[in-house]
Amino acid sequence: HFTASLYKGLGVNFVKELFDCLGPRFCGQLLGDLGEDFDAILFGELGEDFLAEVFVFLGPTYVAKFFKAMGAQHCQVFCLLGASWTSRMHQQMGEEMCKEVYNKLGADYHFLVELFQRFGFRFTAELLLMLQAHFCVQIFSALGTHVVSLLFRDLGVPFASQLFLHMGDSFVAALLAGLGADFCAGLFRTLGRCFVGCLLENLGHRWSAALFTKLGTGFVSDLFRQFGGIFSVALLSRHPAFSLQLSAEMGATFILGVSTTFCCALHPCACFTQVELKRMRKA
């Protein structure tokens, strides 16, 4: 409380200069040593506007080095402050600043993996939801498909599926649509068909069908074209029972809208045959 009152009394401009002179490594390690409880009180009393102004002045390179020096463990202070507080700080910093910070943090994706592991899927989902899809698109785009794929690979299918379920199919659809079919196809190809198939099965055929339906036939068709026939056939034929349930949930009209020709080329156990599609359409 005393430190927060002191910083407020000195003013934001003084704190900017002080942090700049001390450097990111010293300041990050100092706050890390003081612990999350101390940091939560300090940050909370200073307020997200105060901190955002200081961070914007210091710049993305400084801020990335500051958080790395602070350590992923002590960055759990944001869990104590709450997703709402943390999202407001992001928004006060602005999209461009946050993009640069995450881009620089992404150079050491192991830090991000540990950070999100410590945040947990519930806090991460709440934070992303409060930031809203457009803001999240900017962050993931800045990280790039390679880093995002490594991040999800190391976090694992259970974390990813729980994260998606907590965010909801509407939000995930808006996020994927914002990232674009090229980005998503590159991401899923890098993750591999085993990861993607297990993720969809964990999400369930009803949730997955709702997601694909909200993305629309144009996006899904483009996505599978980007995958290529070999990847798509292998993905669906690897999980035949799930693929049939998913197809039935989406319905023949949607599947035909994606691409009748493409569906007919798939493994017979992974999707409907042309005869079955015609029969369903008539029904």
Side-chain angles (χ1 to χ4, degrees):
H1 298 288
F2 173 82
T3 306
S5 298
L6 177 63
Y7 281 169
K8 281 185 175 180
L10 292 169
V12 69
N13 290 326
F14 181 91
V15 176
K16 289 176 186 176
E17 297 293 342
L18 177 64
F19 273 55
D20 194 24
C21 291
L22 292 173
R25 185 176 177 81
F26 178 89
C27 293
Q29 288 181 342
L30 175 62
L31 287 172
D33 291 342
L34 290 169
E36 299 99 279
D37 292 337
F38 178 94
D39 295 343
I41 295 170
L42 177 63
F43 287 1
E45 294 203 4
L46 287 174
E48 57 271 33
D49 292 349
F50 188 102
L51 277 179
E53 187 175 343
V54 171
F55 286 155
V56 169
F57 170 80
L58 294 170
T61 301
Y62 184 109
V63 174
K65 289 180 179 178
F66 169 82
F67 283 124
K68 284 183 181 180
M70 192 173 172
Q73 176 184 349
H74 300 296
C75 286
Q76 288 182 107
V77 61
F78 293 111
C79 296
L80 297 177
L81 290 164
S84 179
W85 190 100
T86 306
S87 69
R88 288 196 301 272
M89 189 188 76
H90 277 74
Q91 288 158 355
Q92 288 297 325
M93 288 168 63
E95 286 183 8
E96 290 302 316
M97 174 71 178
C98 289
K99 277 171 59 178
E100 290 299 317
V101 171
Y102 279 96
N103 178 260
K104 293 182 185 302
L105 288 174
D108 177 15
Y109 83 93
H110 296 289
F111 173 83
L112 288 178
V113 170
E114 186 182 353
L115 180 66
F116 285 117
Q117 284 174 336
R118 291 184 178 279
F119 279 175
F121 60 81
R122 287 187 181 85
F123 177 85
T124 304
E126 288 174 13
L127 176 60
L128 295 178
L129 284 168
M130 289 179 180
L131 286 174
Q132 299 185 344
H134 177 74
F135 201 110
C136 296
V137 165
Q138 302 305 311
I139 291 173
F140 284 116
S141 297
L143 288 172
T145 56
H146 180 66
V147 172
V148 175
S149 66
L150 292 174
L151 183 61
F152 276 107
R153 184 199 67 188
D154 284 10
L155 288 171
V157 170
F159 185 100
S161 57
Q162 288 298 321
L163 177 67
F164 282 16
L165 288 169
H166 275 73
M167 291 192 295
D169 54 75
S170 295
F171 181 87
V172 175
L175 178 60
L176 296 181
L179 289 168
D182 289 352
F183 186 101
C184 294
L187 173 62
F188 295 151
R189 274 200 307 268
T190 305
L191 285 169
R193 57 181 180 267
C194 181
F195 185 101
V196 175
C198 291
L199 174 61
L200 291 174
E201 279 197 316
N202 275 22
L203 291 170
H205 65 275
R206 289 189 177 85
W207 195 98
S208 300
L211 173 66
F212 287 135
T213 303
K214 284 168 183 171
L215 284 169
T217 56
F219 184 96
V220 175
S221 178
D222 192 23
L223 181 65
F224 275 88
R225 278 199 299 270
Q226 297 278 352
F227 282 161
I230 295 175
F231 182 96
S232 302
V233 170
L235 171 63
L236 295 175
S237 62
R238 192 184 184 94
H239 307 272
F242 174 80
S243 299
L244 286 169
Q245 289 176 321
L246 178 62
S247 299
E249 190 71 28
M250 290 189 295
T253 302
F254 184 90
I255 296 170
L256 287 167
V258 173
S259 173
T260 302
T261 305
F262 180 78
C263 284
C264 291
L266 293 177
H267 190 283
C269 292
C271 200
F272 293 99
T273 63
Q274 187 175 16
V275 174
E276 287 171 322
L277 285 169
K278 287 180 178 178
R279 179 177 56 78
M280 288 176 64
R281 184 169 51 180
K282 287 178 181 178

